[in-house]
Amino acid sequence: MSIWTPLEWLAMIGTVGAVGLLAGPVPALVVTLAVPVWYVLGLDYAVGVLWIATVPLDPWATAVIGAGSLVLVGAALLAVDPPSVAVAVAAAGVLGGIGYLGVTTVGTMGAGVALLATLAVLGYGVHRYELVALEVLELPPEGSA
Amino acid sequence: MQPTRRCWAAVGIAVFLVALAALAARPTLLGGAAVLGGWIVARQVAYYRELDTTLSALDVEQTPEPGSVRSGDSNRLRVAAHLAHPSRLSLTVAGKEPTSARSDDGQLALSLPPGASNGEAVARFEWPIAGTHQLPGPSITARDELFTEQLDHEGDAQVVVDARRPRDLHVGRGGDRYPPAYGAHEAGRIGLGLDPAELREYQPGDTMKRVDWKATARLGSPHIRTYDAKTDRTVLFVIDTRPSMGLGPRGETKLDYVREVALSVAGTARESGDPTGVVRVDEAGVETHLQTGGSSEQQMAVRRLLLGSQVDAPVVPGAGEQPTHRPNYRAEPLEGPTEGDPFVETLAPFLAPQERVLHHEERPLANGVKIGIANEFDPVWTLIATDDSKPAEVHEAVEVARAKAGHVLVLLAPTVLFEQDALGDLENAYTRYAAFESFRQDLDSMEAVTALEVAPGDRLSSVLAVGTESSGVAG
C-alpha cells in the first residue's frame, strides 16, 4: 500500500481532469482505474496498466495518457528526491528517442531490444558510479592497463 | 547497489510492454517502457544520493565492554548507531562475530527504520584465546523499495585477552618484597676467566705469561692482570604438584605463582650457564626427574618441565591404579606367573628397592630432594617450590637439601592467600597468615636457607593491613 503525499494526490486528480478535458471521458476513466493499482501495487504497475490500456485507444488519447503517466512519475519522484525528476525526464527522453529511432529503422522488436539494452547500460552505469563514489571500488591508477 | 524484487518487477513490466509492443504491433507501448525505464534510473540516482547523505550523517560505534579480559572470560560488545538527521532508507548495522570469540546471544545487529536516529545492540562474547583481537567492523545495509546496498564499516576496536597467569606477583618476606633477580650470583673468586677483574703487582710464583706487559711498562713495575673465574652452580628445582598446589582461581593457583618464580630462576641459571635439573613431586612420589645438566637443550627441557607442571589430580583412597600417562621411571611390578622365569629371577634383585620407594612416597617432597641430589658431587643450590599445607614435610625436605652443603631457596605459597573466601574474615586470615609467617621465618632462620613467600600482592596487602590496624589500635 502506498502512502501518497499531497503533491501525488494533486498530480493524480490533475491528470484525471486534464486527460478528461483533452482526450475525453474514456481515457479519463482509464487513468481513474489506474489509481487503485498505484495505491495497492505501486507506481510501476499503474504506469504499466495505463500504457496497456492505451492499446485500443487512438494515438491522441495515447499521447495524452502517456504524458499523464510522466506527470505521475514526476510527482512521485518529487516526493522522494526532487533533482531526480530531471533524471527521470532525461532518461525517459533518451529511452523514448532510442525507441523511436529503432521503430523507424529496425522495427518494433529491434527498437524494444535496443531500449531495454540502453536501460541496462544506464542502470549499470549508475551502479558503478555509486561504487566508486562511495569508495567501495577504487579506480585503477592512471597509466595502468 | 543491488536491485530488490520490487525493482525486478518494474523491469519485468517494462519488458512486458516491449514484448506487447512487438506482438501487438503497437510501437507506442515502447513509450510506456521508456517512462518506466526513466523512473527506474531516477530512483537509482535518488537512492545513491540518499545513501551518500545517510552515510555521511551516520556514526557507528562498536565498543567492547570491557576492552580487556582474561582468557575464558566474556564481555559485552555494544554496537550503537546514530544518525545526525533521519534517513528515508532502512538501515541495518550488524556486528560481525570475531573469529576468536564465541557467542550464544545470536547476531549482534540493530535496525534503524526510516526516520529513526538512534539504535543500539548488545551481545555477550566469550574469549577463549589470549592475544589482541581486532574486531571486524560492522556491516551496514541500507535499503529502500527498489535497491539495497551492503557496506563494510571500518572497525578500530580491539579486545585484549590476557592469558590466565599470576598477577601482582609478590615474592618476599613478611610482606617486604625480595630483590627481583632471584638466583643471580657472582663467581665469588678471582681466577682465569675472560672478564678482567683487577691489576696487581707481580708476586713470586706468578707465571711469566700472566704478566700484563702494557701495564708493567705504564706503571714501572711488573704487574699481573687477573680475570674473573667462571663458575657453575648446580641448580635443582623441586616442584610440588600435589593437589594442595592447585588451590586458587584458574591460572592463579599456588603452583602458577611459584612456577613464575621458578621460571625466573631458571632464566637466570640459563644466562649464567648453570647446570639445572628438575624433580616434580606428586601425591604418589617423584613424578618426573630430569638429571642436572648444563647444555642448552637441558635448559630448554627444564623450562618445558616447569611450564608443563600441572597439579596432580587428587588421589582417591583405595583407587589403587596410577594414571597410565605417568612416566614409568619406577619399576612396575611384574604380573603373571613368575616362578622359574629366568627373566624375573634376573630382575628380582633390582626390583627389591621398590619397597623403599613406596616407603618414601609417604613424604614425597623430601624423597624428591633426595633423588634429585643423589648423583650430585658438587654442592647443589636447591629450589623447593611448595606451600604451607605440610610444614613438617617441608622442613624435612629442607634438611635433606641442606645436607648436600648447598643453599636452599624455599618458595612457599601461603594457603590463606589463595582461598577465595578466606579474605571474607580478614581477622582470621591475618591470624592464619601470622602462623604461616612464623613457619616461614623458622625455615628462613636455618643456615643456608632462604624461605620466601610467593603470593598475590594485593591479597597479601589486604591481610597485612589488618595487622597494621591492629598494631595501631594496640599502640
Side-chain angles (χ1 to χ4, degrees), chain A residues 41-45 47-48 51-52 54-57 62 66 69-70 73 76-77 80-81 83-84 87-88 91-92 95-96 99 103 108-109 111-113 115-116 119 122-124 126-127 129-131 133-134 136, chain B residues 1-2 6 9-11 13-18 20-22 24-52 55 88 145-146 149-151:
Chain A
L41 297 174
L43 179 64
D44 43 342
Y45 289 91
V47 170
W51 280 88
I52 291 167
T54 62
V55 171
L57 298 179
T62 301
S69 71
L70 201 55
V73 164
L77 285 170
V80 175
D81 181 40
S84 62
V87 176
L95 293 170
V103 169
T108 307
M109 176 62 86
V113 171
L115 188 151
L116 291 176
L119 174 59
L122 284 175
Y124 187 69
V126 175
H127 165 66
Y129 176 79
E130 178 239 9
L131 292 182
L134 296 179
V136 178
Chain B
M1 77 184 74
Q2 305 299 321
R6 178 71 201 286
V11 172
I13 294 168
V15 172
F16 179 75
L17 287 173
V18 168
L20 193 62
R26 294 290 299 217
T28 52
L29 286 177
L30 294 180
V35 170
L36 262 181
W39 178 70
I40 291 169
V41 172
R43 283 295 300 260
Q44 211 177 346
V45 170
Y47 172 81
Y48 158 67
R49 286 164 49 81
E50 183 67 15
L51 178 61
D52 192 28
L55 290 178
R88 65 177 179 79
E145 237 182 338
L146 299 191
E149 182 66 277
Q150 183 171 325
L151 300 163

Side-chain angles (χ1 to χ4, degrees), chain B residues 169-173 176-185 233 257-269 271 381 383 409 411 450 452-454:
Chain B
L169 176 66
H170 167 89
V171 183
R173 292 184 171 103
D176 296 330
R177 288 190 184 270
Y178 193 71
Y182 325 111
H185 63 97
R233 180 179 66 180
Y257 272 81
V258 296
R259 175 174 37 213
E260 284 291 308
V261 185
L263 282 167
S264 172
V265 175
T268 307
E271 286 169 12
W381 199 88
L383 182 150
L409 172 62
L411 302 176
T450 303
L452 302 174
E453 65 201 352
V454 180

Side-chain angles (χ1 to χ4, degrees), chain B residues 26 35 99 115 178 227 233 288 298 343 352 369 381 420 442 460:
Chain B
R26 294 290 299 217
V35 170
T99 321
Y178 193 71
Y227 295 86
R233 180 179 66 180
T288 306
Q298 169 84 8
F343 178 69
V369 175
W381 199 88
Q420 287 307 290
D442 181 35
L460 177 60

Side-chain angles (χ1 to χ4, degrees), chain B residues 167 243-250 252-255 257 387-389 413-433 436 454-456 458-460 462-463:
Chain B
R167 56 189 163 77
S244 66
M245 293 297 285
L247 188 65
R250 189 157 55 99
E252 296 170 37
T253 62
K254 290 179 187 175
L255 179 61
Y257 272 81
D387 64 359
D388 59 343
S389 58
T415 300
V416 64
L417 297 182
F418 287 86
E419 288 175 353
Q420 287 307 290
D421 49 356
L423 300 196
D425 181 357
L426 281 172
E427 294 284 348
N428 181 44
Y430 181 76
T431 307
R432 290 175 62 192
Y433 175 76
F436 162 83
V454 180
D458 52 348
R459 294 175 73 85
L460 177 60
S462 303
V463 171

Side-chain angles (χ1 to χ4, degrees), chain B residues 299-317:
Chain B
Q299 306 282 11
M300 291 309 294
V302 167
R303 182 173 165 77
R304 274 198 299 274
L305 279 173
L306 293 176
L307 282 170
S309 297
Q310 300 287 331
V311 172
D312 187 33
V315 172
V316 181

Side-chain angles (χ1 to χ4, degrees), chain B residues 363-371 393 396-397 400:
Chain B
R363 44 196 181 91
L365 200 60
N367 185 42
V369 175
K370 191 175 284 183
I371 288 175
E393 196 183 345
E396 184 185 3
V400 172

